[in-house]
């Protein structure tokens, strides 16, 4: 792999590492915060709505301004900040507002990463195979997160989920930079 492929692979690996922690284990963390099922359902639905607004809006702004990489960095830093606040904040309304912010800014990360990657690879011959290898790093990150987080939740507690989300979000932001 070329050095740029490794850098892009690390970006996708970190990004999907975060998703591999979030998707299966965030509901367990919410339950550990003494939220009831109705509150958890609303909290889990809210980011989906936020993504449906954030993805096209942020992507369009990034495209029109020709600042895809800068938008990627800004969104990834916003996710780190919101997850960090989530770790120290509490209560239904605080969690709900923060997951909306996370959904709005995290949603476009994959599309922005894809756009950036495809633009870089379009300049070179044989990029199609390289793109698949780069995205494979994302799949590996997701699988590692699923297995590792499951082990840690069973060994420690569901409280470890928020720490792992902060770490993976920070890794994504570093990789984006």
């Amino acid at each position: 792999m070329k050095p740029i492929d490794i850098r892009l692979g690390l970006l996708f690996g970190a990004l999907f590492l975060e998703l591999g922690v979030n998707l299966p284990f965030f509901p367990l963390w919410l339950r550990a915060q003494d939220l009831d099922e109705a509150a958890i359902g609303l909290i889990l639905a809210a980011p989906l709505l936020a993504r449906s607004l954030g993805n096209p809006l942020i992507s369009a702004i990034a495209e029109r301004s020709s600042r895809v990489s800068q938008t990627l960095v800004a969104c990834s830093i916003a996710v780190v900040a919101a997850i960090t606040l989530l770790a120290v904040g509490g209560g239904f309304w605080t969690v709900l507002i923060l997951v909306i912010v996370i959904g709005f800014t995290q949603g476009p990360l994959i599309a922005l990463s894809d756009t950036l990657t495809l633009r870089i690879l379009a300049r070179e011959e044989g990029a199609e195979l390289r793109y698949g290898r780069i995205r494979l790093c994302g799949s590996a990150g997701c699988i590692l997160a699923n297995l590792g987080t499951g082990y840690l939740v069973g060994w420690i507690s569901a409280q470890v989920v928020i720490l792992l989300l902060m770490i993976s979000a920070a890794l994504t932001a570093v990789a984006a930079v």
Side-chain angles (χ1 to χ4, degrees):
M1 287 180 80
K2 294 185 176 189
I4 190 66
D5 295 1
I6 293 169
R7 289 181 58 201
L8 292 168
L10 289 173
L11 172 62
F12 278 100
L15 181 58
F16 282 75
L17 185 74
E18 185 180 346
L19 294 174
V21 173
N22 186 20
L23 293 175
F25 298 104
F26 189 62
L28 295 177
W29 182 81
L30 291 171
R31 187 67 187 128
Q33 305 312 300
D34 293 327
L35 295 168
D36 64 26
E37 287 77 12
I40 292 170
L42 287 171
I43 289 169
L44 293 177
L48 300 175
L49 294 172
R51 282 186 186 104
S52 68
L53 296 172
N55 283 1
L57 180 65
I58 292 174
S59 297
I61 291 169
E63 284 289 325
R64 289 194 183 119
S65 67
S66 298
R67 297 186 183 273
V68 172
S69 60
Q70 294 90 337
T71 306
L72 176 68
V73 170
C75 285
S76 63
I77 290 171
V79 171
V80 173
I83 290 173
T84 302
L85 289 172
L86 192 61
V88 296
F92 172 76
W93 290 107
T94 301
V95 172
L96 181 64
I97 291 166
L98 289 171
V99 297
I100 289 170
V101 171
I102 292 167
F104 191 82
T105 55
Q106 184 184 52
L109 291 179
I110 293 173
L112 293 170
S113 298
D114 277 336
T115 299
L116 182 64
T117 300
L118 292 172
R119 283 185 180 170
I120 291 169
L121 294 179
R123 301 179 206 144
E124 301 178 29
E125 201 169 310
E128 302 82 19
L129 292 175
R130 291 173 50 205
Y131 176 75
R133 290 185 200 117
I134 291 167
R135 282 299 297 255
L136 180 62
C137 294
S139 297
C142 187
I143 292 167
L144 288 173
N146 283 180
L147 296 173
T149 305
Y151 175 77
L152 290 173
V153 165
W155 186 50
I156 300 172
S157 77
Q159 297 297 343
V160 76
V161 170
I162 199 71
L163 175 63
L164 295 173
L165 285 173
M166 285 191 306
I167 292 168
S168 58
L171 289 173
T172 300
V174 168
V177 170

Coordinates of all heavy atoms in Angstrom, one line a residue, residues 122-161:
A122 N -8.5 9.3 -7.7 CA -8.8 9.6 -9.1 C -7.6 10.1 -9.9 O -7.6 10.0 -11.1 CB -10.0 10.6 -9.2
R123 N -6.7 10.6 -9.2 CA -5.5 11.2 -9.9 C -4.5 10.1 -10.3 O -3.5 10.4 -11.0 CB -4.7 12.1 -8.9 CG -5.6 13.3 -8.5 CD -4.8 14.1 -7.5 NE -5.7 14.8 -6.6 CZ -5.5 15.1 -5.4 NH1 -4.4 14.8 -4.8 NH2 -6.4 15.8 -4.6
E124 N -4.7 8.9 -9.9 CA -3.8 7.8 -10.1 C -4.4 6.6 -10.8 O -5.6 6.4 -10.7 CB -3.2 7.3 -8.8 CG -2.5 8.5 -8.1 CD -1.9 8.0 -6.7 OE1 -1.5 6.8 -6.6 OE2 -1.8 8.9 -5.8
E125 N -3.6 5.9 -11.5 CA -4.1 4.7 -12.3 C -4.3 3.5 -11.3 O -3.6 3.4 -10.3 CB -3.1 4.3 -13.4 CG -3.7 3.5 -14.5 CD -2.8 3.4 -15.6 OE1 -2.3 4.4 -16.1 OE2 -2.6 2.2 -16.1
G126 N -5.3 2.7 -11.6 CA -5.5 1.5 -10.7 C -6.1 1.8 -9.4 O -6.0 1.0 -8.5
A127 N -6.8 2.9 -9.3 CA -7.3 3.3 -8.0 C -8.5 2.4 -7.5 O -8.7 2.4 -6.3 CB -7.8 4.8 -8.1
E128 N -9.2 1.8 -8.4 CA -10.4 1.0 -8.0 C -10.0 -0.1 -7.0 O -10.7 -0.2 -6.0 CB -11.0 0.3 -9.2 CG -11.5 1.3 -10.3 CD -10.3 1.7 -11.2 OE1 -9.3 1.0 -11.3 OE2 -10.5 2.8 -11.9
L129 N -8.9 -0.8 -7.2 CA -8.5 -1.8 -6.2 C -8.0 -1.2 -4.9 O -8.3 -1.8 -3.9 CB -7.4 -2.7 -6.9 CG -7.9 -3.6 -8.0 CD1 -6.7 -4.3 -8.6 CD2 -9.0 -4.6 -7.6
R130 N -7.4 -0.1 -5.0 CA -6.9 0.5 -3.8 C -8.0 1.0 -2.9 O -7.9 0.9 -1.7 CB -5.9 1.7 -4.2 CG -4.6 1.2 -4.8 CD -3.8 2.2 -5.4 NE -3.5 3.3 -4.4 CZ -3.2 4.6 -4.8 NH1 -3.1 4.8 -6.1 NH2 -3.0 5.5 -3.9
Y131 N -9.1 1.5 -3.5 CA -10.2 2.0 -2.7 C -10.8 0.8 -1.9 O -11.1 1.0 -0.7 CB -11.3 2.6 -3.7 CG -12.5 3.0 -2.9 CD1 -12.6 4.2 -2.2 CD2 -13.7 2.2 -3.0 CE1 -13.7 4.5 -1.5 CE2 -14.8 2.6 -2.3 CZ -14.8 3.8 -1.5 OH -15.9 4.1 -0.8
G132 N -10.9 -0.3 -2.5 CA -11.5 -1.5 -1.8 C -10.6 -1.9 -0.6 O -11.1 -2.2 0.5
R133 N -9.3 -1.8 -0.7 CA -8.4 -2.1 0.4 C -8.5 -1.1 1.5 O -8.4 -1.4 2.7 CB -7.0 -2.2 -0.1 CG -6.7 -3.4 -1.0 CD -5.2 -3.5 -1.4 NE -5.1 -4.4 -2.5 CZ -4.7 -4.0 -3.7 NH1 -4.3 -2.8 -3.9 NH2 -4.6 -4.9 -4.7
I134 N -8.6 0.2 1.1 CA -8.8 1.3 2.1 C -10.1 1.1 2.9 O -10.0 1.2 4.1 CB -8.7 2.6 1.4 CG1 -7.3 2.9 0.8 CG2 -9.2 3.8 2.3 CD1 -7.3 4.1 -0.2
R135 N -11.2 0.8 2.2 CA -12.4 0.6 2.9 C -12.4 -0.7 3.7 O -13.1 -0.8 4.7 CB -13.6 0.5 1.9 CG -14.1 1.9 1.4 CD -14.6 2.8 2.4 NE -15.7 2.4 3.1 CZ -16.9 2.8 3.0 NH1 -17.2 3.8 2.1 NH2 -17.9 2.4 3.7
L136 N -11.6 -1.6 3.3 CA -11.5 -2.9 4.1 C -10.9 -2.5 5.5 O -11.3 -3.2 6.5 CB -10.5 -3.8 3.4 CG -10.3 -5.2 4.1 CD1 -11.6 -6.0 4.3 CD2 -9.2 -6.0 3.4
C137 N -10.1 -1.5 5.6 CA -9.6 -1.1 7.0 C -10.8 -0.7 7.8 O -10.8 -0.9 9.1 CB -8.6 0.1 6.8 SG -7.1 -0.4 6.0
G138 N -11.8 0.0 7.2 CA -13.0 0.3 8.0 C -13.7 -0.9 8.5 O -14.1 -0.9 9.7
S139 N -13.9 -1.9 7.7 CA -14.6 -3.1 8.1 C -13.8 -3.8 9.2 O -14.4 -4.3 10.2 CB -14.7 -4.1 6.9 OG -15.5 -3.5 5.9
A140 N -12.5 -3.8 9.1 CA -11.6 -4.4 10.2 C -11.8 -3.6 11.5 O -11.9 -4.2 12.5 CB -10.2 -4.4 9.7
G141 N -11.8 -2.3 11.4 CA -12.0 -1.5 12.6 C -13.4 -1.8 13.3 O -13.4 -1.9 14.5
C142 N -14.4 -1.9 12.5 CA -15.7 -2.2 13.0 C -15.8 -3.6 13.7 O -16.3 -3.7 14.8 CB -16.8 -2.2 11.9 SG -18.5 -2.3 12.5
I143 N -15.2 -4.6 13.1 CA -15.1 -5.9 13.7 C -14.3 -5.9 15.0 O -14.8 -6.5 16.0 CB -14.6 -6.9 12.7 CG1 -15.5 -7.1 11.5 CG2 -14.2 -8.3 13.3 CD1 -15.0 -7.9 10.3
L144 N -13.2 -5.3 15.0 CA -12.4 -5.2 16.2 C -13.1 -4.5 17.3 O -13.0 -4.9 18.5 CB -11.0 -4.5 15.9 CG -10.0 -5.2 15.1 CD1 -8.8 -4.3 14.7 CD2 -9.6 -6.5 15.8
A145 N -13.8 -3.4 17.0 CA -14.6 -2.7 18.0 C -15.7 -3.6 18.5 O -15.9 -3.6 19.8 CB -15.2 -1.4 17.4
N146 N -16.4 -4.3 17.7 CA -17.5 -5.2 18.2 C -16.9 -6.2 19.2 O -17.5 -6.4 20.3 CB -18.1 -5.9 17.0 CG -19.1 -5.1 16.2 OD1 -19.7 -5.6 15.3 ND2 -19.3 -3.8 16.5
L147 N -15.9 -6.9 18.8 CA -15.3 -7.9 19.6 C -14.7 -7.4 20.9 O -15.0 -7.8 22.0 CB -14.3 -8.7 18.8 CG -14.8 -9.5 17.6 CD1 -13.7 -10.1 16.8 CD2 -15.8 -10.6 18.1
G148 N -13.9 -6.3 20.7 CA -13.2 -5.7 21.9 C -14.2 -5.1 22.9 O -14.0 -5.3 24.1
T149 N -15.1 -4.4 22.4 CA -16.1 -3.7 23.3 C -16.9 -4.7 24.0 O -17.2 -4.6 25.2 CB -17.0 -2.7 22.5 OG1 -16.1 -1.8 21.8 CG2 -17.9 -2.0 23.4
G150 N -17.4 -5.8 23.3 CA -18.2 -6.8 23.9 C -17.4 -7.5 25.0 O -18.0 -7.7 26.1
Y151 N -16.1 -7.7 24.8 CA -15.3 -8.3 25.9 C -15.2 -7.4 27.1 O -15.4 -7.8 28.2 CB -13.9 -8.6 25.3 CG -13.0 -9.1 26.3 CD1 -13.0 -10.4 26.8 CD2 -12.0 -8.3 26.9 CE1 -12.2 -10.9 27.8 CE2 -11.1 -8.8 27.9 CZ -11.2 -10.1 28.3 OH -10.4 -10.5 29.3
L152 N -14.9 -6.1 26.8 CA -14.7 -5.1 27.9 C -16.0 -4.8 28.6 O -16.0 -4.6 29.9 CB -14.1 -3.8 27.3 CG -12.7 -3.9 26.9 CD1 -12.3 -2.6 26.2 CD2 -11.7 -4.2 28.0
V153 N -17.1 -4.8 27.9 CA -18.4 -4.6 28.6 C -18.7 -5.8 29.6 O -19.1 -5.6 30.7 CB -19.6 -4.4 27.6 CG1 -20.9 -4.6 28.3 CG2 -19.5 -3.0 26.9
G154 N -18.4 -7.0 29.1 CA -18.6 -8.1 30.0 C -17.6 -8.2 31.1 O -17.9 -8.7 32.2
W155 N -16.4 -7.7 30.9 CA -15.3 -7.8 31.9 C -15.4 -6.6 32.9 O -15.2 -6.8 34.1 CB -14.0 -7.8 31.2 CG -12.8 -8.0 32.1 CD1 -12.7 -9.0 33.1 CD2 -11.6 -7.2 32.1 NE1 -11.4 -8.8 33.7 CE2 -10.8 -7.8 33.1 CE3 -11.2 -6.1 31.4 CZ2 -9.5 -7.3 33.4 CZ3 -9.9 -5.6 31.7 CH2 -9.1 -6.2 32.7
I156 N -15.7 -5.4 32.4 CA -15.8 -4.2 33.3 C -17.2 -3.8 33.5 O -17.8 -4.2 34.6 CB -15.0 -3.0 32.6 CG1 -13.5 -3.4 32.4 CG2 -15.1 -1.8 33.5 CD1 -12.7 -2.5 31.6
S157 N -17.8 -3.1 32.6 CA -19.3 -2.7 32.7 C -19.6 -1.9 31.5 O -18.7 -1.6 30.7 CB -19.6 -1.9 34.0 OG -19.1 -0.6 33.8
A158 N -20.9 -1.6 31.3 CA -21.3 -0.8 30.2 C -20.8 0.6 30.2 O -20.8 1.3 29.2 CB -22.8 -0.8 30.1
Q159 N -20.3 1.0 31.4 CA -19.7 2.4 31.5 C -18.5 2.6 30.6 O -18.2 3.7 30.3 CB -19.4 2.7 33.0 CG -20.6 2.7 33.9 CD -21.6 3.8 33.6 OE1 -21.3 4.8 32.9 NE2 -22.8 3.7 34.1
V160 N -17.8 1.5 30.3 CA -16.6 1.6 29.4 C -17.0 2.1 28.0 O -16.1 2.6 27.3 CB -15.9 0.2 29.4 CG1 -16.6 -0.8 28.6 CG2 -14.4 0.4 29.0
V161 N -18.2 1.9 27.6 CA -18.6 2.3 26.3 C -18.4 3.7 26.0 O -17.8 4.1 24.9 CB -20.1 1.9 26.0 CG1 -20.6 2.5 24.7 CG2 -20.3 0.4 26.1

